[in-house]
Amino acid sequence: MFLKERKILIGLTGGIACYKVPYLIRALRKHNVLVRVVMTRAATEFITPLTLETVSGHPVAVEMFESKELVGTRHIDLAQWPDLVVIAPTTANFLGKVASGICDDLLSTIMCATSKQVLIAPAMNPNMWTNPITQRNFKTLTDIGYLVVGPEEGEMACDQIGVGRMTEPEAIFEFINSYFKRTSKKKELEGKSIIITAGPTLEAIDPIRFISNHSSGKMGFALAEQARAMGAKVTLISGPTALNAPAGINTIAIESTADLRMAVKANFVNADCLIMAAAPSDYRPHKIHSSKIKRTNSDLTLELEPTDDILKEITSSRRKEQVVVGFALETDDAIANARRKLKKKNLDFIVLNQPSPDSGFGVDTNRVTVIAPRRKPVEWSLASKDEIARKMLELISKMF
Ligand code: CTP
C-alpha cells in the first residue's frame, strides 16, 4: 500500500551482485512500483541491459549522450523523476566518484543532479570496504543523508570471507518498503504554526552595560528543531545566545523584553501554539543612560521598573483553540509557585524546572515537572533537552 505507484530509479554499478538486481526489480513491480534503470558501462559487463529492460518493462539508460532520446537533458529528467534513487550494487569506485562530485557518465551525473533521497547497497571485496578511503567516502555520503543497506558478512565471489556482500534483494525490498511506510505517515504537527521563544533578554543600562540572566536558549532551540521535525511551521524568537540559528527555521532576533513582547504579539494572531521558553527580564532600568556611567567613589543606585508580563497579556486575548505553554524556574516552593503562574497566566500547561548541575540553565539535560490545570503534577525523569522537547510537543499535538 505504501509502494503503489512510487517511482524508483535503480542504478547499477559494476559488481558481480548485479545479477541479483532483477529479483529486486521484479519484487518492486509486483507491488506496482514504477521502475526505471540506469547502468554504468561496467555494470553492463555483468548483466545485459536487455535483461533489465525485460524485467523493468522500460528501456535502460547507459550513455550520457545517446542519440535516440532527450539527448541534452536526460540526466536532469532522470534525476528529478523518482521518489527514491537506489544504487545496487554500489561499488567502491562509484562511492568515491559520488563523494567527490565526479560526473563522468550518465549515472554519476544523475547523482550530482538529483535532490531525491538516495539509498545505496554497497558491494565489494572486504579489503576494499574496510579501506579508510572507501570508509571516508562512505561517511561523506551518509553525513549528507544517504540511506544505506548492507553490506553483509559472508563468502565473496572472490572466495574471501568478510564484510562486503550486497544485501539480498528481498531484504533491500523490505528496507524500501519500510522507508516509504515511515515517510508516508502524516507528521504529528503538520499544518500547525508554532511560536517558540528562547534565550535571555538584555535590558540596557547605558550604551555599554545591561541586565540579563543565565538562559542559554538550549531548551527553546531544542523545541524549535523538534517541532520542525514533527512537521510544524516554526517561528523562533530568540534573545542573544551562543547557538547557531537552526537551518530552515524562521528566526527573529530580539534583545529586550519589550522587543520580545512586540515580536510575540505580531506573530501570535496567526499561530496555533506559543511556547514561552525564553527567560525575559522582569525588570529594566527606569532610565537608559545615553552615555557611559562613569565610575565614582560613591554608591550607585539603579532604579528598575517592571517589564510587561508577556504571557499574561497574550493569553487575555487568546482564541480558545490556541495552545499556550509556559516555563517556570523556581528555587523555592516550586510546585505551588508554578501552579500560581499556570493560573495567573492562563496556560494549558507549565513546565517547571529547578536549577541544578544537570538541569536548567546552560546544560544539555533537564529534569522537569509538567503541571496542567486540575491535574496532578507529573515528574519527568532526567533527559536530554531534545527528548524533553519531543515529549512536550507530543503532549501539545494531542491537545490540538
Ligand atoms: N514570562 C513572560 N513575560 C515576562 C516574564 C516571564 O511571558 N516578563 C514568561 C516566561 O517566558 C515563562 C513564564 O512567563 O514562560 C514564567 O516565567 P518566570 O520567570 O518563571 O516567572 P515570572 O512570571 O517572571 O515570575 P517570577 O520571576 O516572580 O518567578
Side-chain angles (χ1 to χ4, degrees), residues 257 276 278 280-282 307-311 326-330 341 344-345:
T257 300
M276 279 291 282
S281 182
D282 288 326
T307 58
D308 294 303
D309 185 331
I310 303 168
L311 266 182
F327 275 80
L329 188 77
E330 305 293 343
K341 279 179 198 170
K344 183 172 94 178
K345 299 181 192 238

